[in-house]
Amino acid sequence: MEKAATERAEDYLEVIYDLISKKGYARIVEIAERLNVRPPTVTEMVKKLSEKGLLVHERYRGFTLTEEGERIAKAVQRRHETIANFLMILGVDKEIAEQDACRIEHNLHPMTLERFTKFVEFVQNAPQDPEWLEHFEHYVKTGEHKCKVIKENTEQ
Ligand code: MN
């Protein structure tokens, strides 16, 4: 698949997987809503995905992802969560972080993704709220480095 087609496929698998995990099923109309496309576009795409062996569409059961389809969907979901968490650590609002995660999630170099993952882990597993993160927030709000002030205080 060419690059744009791969991205599109990943978006579909991600949404279908999410709908199935949350509701137990995915319907064309809901997929269309989530991806901001028209239902006929969804119908066309799911046909392609089913031809590639990534999902199965049965009249009464609706959609199920194949093992390979689910593997891809889970990988995209993991990338999405990592990126969204990273952006939220930086102070980006959840809604924007989620939107941007979907834009970025397809195109990251594995090394960048690995560092994002480590960084998110590092912050989330910190025994206390990292002080430097507060410093960063202070810097965002005021444009000033807080650590200078602290240094001066300890010198007194
Ligand atoms: Mn996404």
Side-chain angles (χ1 to χ4, degrees):
M1 273 192 272
E2 56 160 312
K3 205 171 158 218
T6 310
E7 280 177 33
R8 249 5 237 154
E10 285 186 351
D11 282 337
Y12 274 79
L13 293 171
E14 184 189 15
V15 164
I16 294 168
Y17 180 72
D18 190 52
L19 286 169
I20 293 173
S21 346
K22 283 181 184 151
K23 308 176 61 177
Y25 58 89
R27 278 203 295 249
I28 300 238
V29 187
E30 291 161 314
I31 301 168
E33 246 168 53
R34 291 273 296 266
L35 289 166
N36 220 355
V37 295
R38 289 168 2 96
T41 313
V42 176
T43 309
E44 204 179 301
M45 186 61 170
V46 294
K47 198 171 157 249
K48 283 183 194 158
L49 294 173
S50 118
E51 279 163 13
K52 287 182 201 308
L54 298 172
L55 60 79
V56 181
H57 192 199
E58 285 163 316
R59 186 175 278 261
Y60 296 106
R61 282 187 65 202
F63 294 104
T64 33
L65 296 185
T66 62
E67 210 176 295
E68 175 65 359
E70 195 173 309
R71 191 192 60 77
I72 296 171
K74 280 181 177 166
V76 180
Q77 197 181 54
R78 265 200 307 277
R79 293 199 300 252
H80 179 109
E81 271 167 31
T82 300
I83 298 162
N85 284 331
F86 176 77
L87 295 174
M88 286 190 278
I89 288 169
L90 295 187
V92 176
D93 289 342
K94 187 173 167 46
E95 202 184 318
I96 298 172
E98 298 286 354
Q99 281 172 19
D100 277 354
C102 273
R103 294 202 185 102
I104 304 168
E105 68 199 4
H106 312 286
N107 290 316
L108 286 180
H109 189 282
M111 187 185 184
T112 309
L113 192 68
E114 206 247 358
R115 283 291 158 141
F116 270 37
T117 309
K118 286 285 171 209
F119 184 78
V120 170
E121 267 174 35
F122 176 67
V123 174
Q124 287 178 342
N125 299 337
Q128 290 157 352
D129 284 346
E131 212 172 300
W132 52 264
L133 207 50
E134 277 170 40
H135 290 176
F136 177 62
E137 273 155 34
H138 178 83
Y139 178 78
V140 171
K141 281 186 196 126
T142 66
E144 279 166 23
H145 278 279
K146 207 179 185 179
C147 36
K148 260 188 200 155
V149 180
I150 291 164
K151 210 176 171 189
E152 278 162 19
N153 285 346
T154 50
E155 274 165 8
Q156 277 167 10

PDB file of all heavy atoms in Angstrom, residues 11 14 76-77 80 98 101-103 105-106, ligand 1:
ATOM      1  N   ASP A  11      -6.103   4.386  10.317  1.00  0.00           N
ATOM      2  CA  ASP A  11      -7.181   5.163  10.947  1.00  0.00           C
ATOM      3  C   ASP A  11      -8.458   4.330  11.079  1.00  0.00           C
ATOM      4  O   ASP A  11      -9.110   4.336  12.113  1.00  0.00           O
ATOM      5  CB  ASP A  11      -7.500   6.416  10.116  1.00  0.00           C
ATOM      6  CG  ASP A  11      -6.483   7.525  10.335  1.00  0.00           C
ATOM      7  OD1 ASP A  11      -5.820   7.529  11.398  1.00  0.00           O
ATOM      8  OD2 ASP A  11      -6.338   8.379   9.448  1.00  0.00           O
ATOM      9  N   GLU A  14      -8.027   1.509  13.639  1.00  0.00           N
ATOM     10  CA  GLU A  14      -7.998   2.102  14.984  1.00  0.00           C
ATOM     11  C   GLU A  14      -9.424   2.395  15.465  1.00  0.00           C
ATOM     12  O   GLU A  14      -9.805   2.025  16.576  1.00  0.00           O
ATOM     13  CB  GLU A  14      -7.168   3.396  14.955  1.00  0.00           C
ATOM     14  CG  GLU A  14      -6.985   4.063  16.301  1.00  0.00           C
ATOM     15  CD  GLU A  14      -6.339   5.447  16.188  1.00  0.00           C
ATOM     16  OE1 GLU A  14      -6.302   5.998  15.065  1.00  0.00           O
ATOM     17  OE2 GLU A  14      -5.882   5.957  17.220  1.00  0.00           O
ATOM     18  N   VAL A  76      -1.384   0.994  16.576  1.00  0.00           N
ATOM     19  CA  VAL A  76      -1.749   2.399  16.355  1.00  0.00           C
ATOM     20  C   VAL A  76      -2.277   3.005  17.654  1.00  0.00           C
ATOM     21  O   VAL A  76      -1.915   4.129  18.023  1.00  0.00           O
ATOM     22  CB  VAL A  76      -2.834   2.545  15.246  1.00  0.00           C
ATOM     23  CG1 VAL A  76      -3.193   4.010  15.039  1.00  0.00           C
ATOM     24  CG2 VAL A  76      -2.353   1.946  13.948  1.00  0.00           C
ATOM     25  N   GLN A  77      -3.094   2.239  18.359  1.00  0.00           N
ATOM     26  CA  GLN A  77      -3.664   2.733  19.612  1.00  0.00           C
ATOM     27  C   GLN A  77      -2.559   3.045  20.643  1.00  0.00           C
ATOM     28  O   GLN A  77      -2.605   4.059  21.325  1.00  0.00           O
ATOM     29  CB  GLN A  77      -4.618   1.684  20.167  1.00  0.00           C
ATOM     30  CG  GLN A  77      -5.555   2.228  21.218  1.00  0.00           C
ATOM     31  CD  GLN A  77      -6.471   1.142  21.749  1.00  0.00           C
ATOM     32  OE1 GLN A  77      -6.014   0.087  22.189  1.00  0.00           O
ATOM     33  NE2 GLN A  77      -7.763   1.370  21.683  1.00  0.00           N
ATOM     34  N   HIS A  80      -0.853   6.159  19.575  1.00  0.00           N
ATOM     35  CA  HIS A  80      -1.768   7.267  19.848  1.00  0.00           C
ATOM     36  C   HIS A  80      -1.694   7.680  21.320  1.00  0.00           C
ATOM     37  O   HIS A  80      -1.540   8.856  21.643  1.00  0.00           O
ATOM     38  CB  HIS A  80      -3.197   6.871  19.475  1.00  0.00           C
ATOM     39  CG  HIS A  80      -4.208   7.939  19.741  1.00  0.00           C
ATOM     40  ND1 HIS A  80      -4.831   8.637  18.739  1.00  0.00           N
ATOM     41  CD2 HIS A  80      -4.681   8.452  20.906  1.00  0.00           C
ATOM     42  CE1 HIS A  80      -5.653   9.531  19.281  1.00  0.00           C
ATOM     43  NE2 HIS A  80      -5.575   9.424  20.598  1.00  0.00           N
ATOM     44  N   GLU A  98      -5.490  14.686  21.651  1.00  0.00           N
ATOM     45  CA  GLU A  98      -6.073  13.520  20.970  1.00  0.00           C
ATOM     46  C   GLU A  98      -6.099  13.736  19.452  1.00  0.00           C
ATOM     47  O   GLU A  98      -5.766  12.845  18.683  1.00  0.00           O
ATOM     48  CB  GLU A  98      -7.508  13.261  21.459  1.00  0.00           C
ATOM     49  CG  GLU A  98      -7.641  12.935  22.931  1.00  0.00           C
ATOM     50  CD  GLU A  98      -7.188  11.532  23.313  1.00  0.00           C
ATOM     51  OE1 GLU A  98      -6.863  10.736  22.406  1.00  0.00           O
ATOM     52  OE2 GLU A  98      -7.135  11.250  24.524  1.00  0.00           O
ATOM     53  N   ALA A 101      -2.540  13.651  18.123  1.00  0.00           N
ATOM     54  CA  ALA A 101      -1.997  12.288  18.184  1.00  0.00           C
ATOM     55  C   ALA A 101      -2.398  11.534  16.918  1.00  0.00           C
ATOM     56  O   ALA A 101      -1.584  10.844  16.306  1.00  0.00           O
ATOM     57  CB  ALA A 101      -2.496  11.565  19.430  1.00  0.00           C
ATOM     58  N   CYS A 102      -3.648  11.702  16.496  1.00  0.00           N
ATOM     59  CA  CYS A 102      -4.114  11.020  15.288  1.00  0.00           C
ATOM     60  C   CYS A 102      -3.401  11.529  14.033  1.00  0.00           C
ATOM     61  O   CYS A 102      -3.248  10.793  13.069  1.00  0.00           O
ATOM     62  CB  CYS A 102      -5.628  11.167  15.130  1.00  0.00           C
ATOM     63  SG  CYS A 102      -6.534   9.880  15.995  1.00  0.00           S
ATOM     64  N   ARG A 103      -2.971  12.785  14.076  1.00  0.00           N
ATOM     65  CA  ARG A 103      -2.245  13.310  12.918  1.00  0.00           C
ATOM     66  C   ARG A 103      -0.816  12.786  12.874  1.00  0.00           C
ATOM     67  O   ARG A 103      -0.263  12.530  11.815  1.00  0.00           O
ATOM     68  CB  ARG A 103      -2.192  14.836  12.962  1.00  0.00           C
ATOM     69  CG  ARG A 103      -3.536  15.467  12.811  1.00  0.00           C
ATOM     70  CD  ARG A 103      -3.385  16.894  12.330  1.00  0.00           C
ATOM     71  NE  ARG A 103      -4.684  17.533  12.308  1.00  0.00           N
ATOM     72  CZ  ARG A 103      -5.093  18.375  13.247  1.00  0.00           C
ATOM     73  NH1 ARG A 103      -4.293  18.713  14.242  1.00  0.00           N
ATOM     74  NH2 ARG A 103      -6.288  18.894  13.178  1.00  0.00           N
ATOM     75  N   GLU A 105       0.517  10.047  14.640  1.00  0.00           N
ATOM     76  CA  GLU A 105       0.768   8.652  14.993  1.00  0.00           C
ATOM     77  C   GLU A 105       1.259   7.747  13.862  1.00  0.00           C
ATOM     78  O   GLU A 105       1.859   6.710  14.121  1.00  0.00           O
ATOM     79  CB  GLU A 105      -0.490   8.029  15.615  1.00  0.00           C
ATOM     80  CG  GLU A 105      -1.627   7.880  14.633  1.00  0.00           C
ATOM     81  CD  GLU A 105      -2.975   7.700  15.323  1.00  0.00           C
ATOM     82  OE1 GLU A 105      -3.046   7.765  16.549  1.00  0.00           O
ATOM     83  OE2 GLU A 105      -3.956   7.504  14.596  1.00  0.00           O
ATOM     84  N   HIS A 106       1.033   8.125  12.632  1.00  0.00           N
ATOM     85  CA  HIS A 106       1.424   7.249  11.527  1.00  0.00           C
ATOM     86  C   HIS A 106       2.860   7.453  11.066  1.00  0.00           C
ATOM     87  O   HIS A 106       3.410   6.613  10.379  1.00  0.00           O
ATOM     88  CB  HIS A 106       0.502   7.477  10.326  1.00  0.00           C
ATOM     89  CG  HIS A 106      -0.943   7.489  10.679  1.00  0.00           C
ATOM     90  ND1 HIS A 106      -1.635   6.341  10.982  1.00  0.00           N
ATOM     91  CD2 HIS A 106      -1.817   8.504  10.821  1.00  0.00           C
ATOM     92  CE1 HIS A 106      -2.879   6.659  11.269  1.00  0.00           C
ATOM     93  NE2 HIS A 106      -3.020   7.967  11.183  1.00  0.00           N
TER      94      HIS A 106
HETATM   95 MN    MN B   1      -5.373   7.986  16.678  1.00  0.00          MN
END
